[in-house]
Amino acid sequence: MPFEKGGLGVKNIAVFNSALLNKWRWRILQGHNALWFNILKARYGDLSLNMCRGERGSKIPYSALFWWKDILKVGSSSPFDPIVNCSRVFIHNGYNSSFWDSIWLEGDIPLKVEFPELFKESLLKNVSVAGMGGWVEGE
């Protein structure tokens, strides 16, 4: 409790930790041009894709730091994750956006789950949006 209410003024560690982890999650989603992001992406893969595809925690290697695992666990126990559910994903050039794992349709279901037979037949299972085609003169 705070000093004013007769407490010791110690922060709630669980709430404080959650706030810091969510701050890092936000920085990961926004930091694609930063050097620290590129270094961590080279080491652990693109964690921003994992956060947005709803598979937090499942794509992290066993040898990953607890910090990375904790970042992806935040919000995974709740059906409403304010950072992911209230955000929009911009495709930009399409090289950092997964075609099959991204959620494109209403209902929080990636294309590979929505269309399992098509995904099963596809030869391009780990392809980015850019790898599936491109724009030529606006078409």
Side-chain angles (χ1 to χ4, degrees), residues 14 17-22 24-25 28 47 50-52 54-62 64-84:
N17 186 48
S18 177
L20 290 176
L21 290 172
N22 275 302
W24 274 107
R25 289 178 71 217
I28 288 168
L47 295 180
N50 291 9
M51 277 188 255
C52 293
E55 297 177 15
R56 291 180 292 278
S58 63
K59 299 286 184 180
I60 300 298
Y62 179 76
L65 298 172
F66 286 109
W67 182 71
W68 282 118
K69 293 176 185 177
D70 288 345
I71 286 175
L72 293 180
K73 285 179 191 174
V74 174
S76 65
S77 61
S78 170
F80 181 75
D81 180 0
I83 289 185
V84 174

Side-chain angles (χ1 to χ4, degrees), residues 76-93:
S76 65
S77 61
S78 170
F80 181 75
D81 180 0
I83 289 185
V84 174
N85 295 349
C86 296
S87 299
R88 291 187 178 166
V89 176
F90 290 97
I91 301 300
H92 297 290
N93 63 11

Side-chain angles (χ1 to χ4, degrees):
M1 294 184 53
F3 288 118
E4 299 83 33
K5 294 185 179 181
L8 297 175
V10 178
K11 292 180 184 180
N12 182 330
I13 299 298
V15 171
F16 190 68
N17 186 48
S18 177
L20 290 176
L21 290 172
N22 275 302
K23 180 179 177 180
W24 274 107
R25 289 178 71 217
W26 182 252
R27 290 186 74 190
I28 288 168
L29 290 171
Q30 297 296 314
H32 289 270
N33 294 328
L35 176 62
W36 64 267
F37 178 86
N38 292 326
I39 291 170
L40 295 175
K41 181 179 175 182
R43 168 94 177 154
Y44 299 110
D46 192 348
L47 295 180
S48 61
L49 289 177
N50 291 9
M51 277 188 255
C52 293
R53 70 173 62 137
E55 297 177 15
R56 291 180 292 278
S58 63
K59 299 286 184 180
I60 300 298
Y62 179 76
S63 62
L65 298 172
F66 286 109
W67 182 71
W68 282 118
K69 293 176 185 177
D70 288 345
I71 286 175
L72 293 180
K73 285 179 191 174
V74 174
S76 65
S77 61
S78 170
F80 181 75
D81 180 0
I83 289 185
V84 174
N85 295 349
C86 296
S87 299
R88 291 187 178 166
V89 176
F90 290 97
I91 301 300
H92 297 290
N93 63 11
Y95 289 102
N96 293 323
S97 303
S98 171
F99 180 80
W100 289 107
D101 292 319
S102 295
I103 297 171
W104 301 102
L105 308 171
E106 197 76 26
D108 294 336
I109 300 173
L111 287 178
K112 72 180 183 182
V113 175
E114 184 75 22
F115 304 102
E117 293 299 319
L118 188 58
F119 178 70
K120 180 179 166 185
E121 296 297 323
S122 175
L123 299 175
L124 303 170
K125 293 190 178 12
N126 294 319
V127 68
S128 67
V129 172
M132 292 298 277
W135 296 95
V136 177
E137 295 180 12
E139 297 183 10

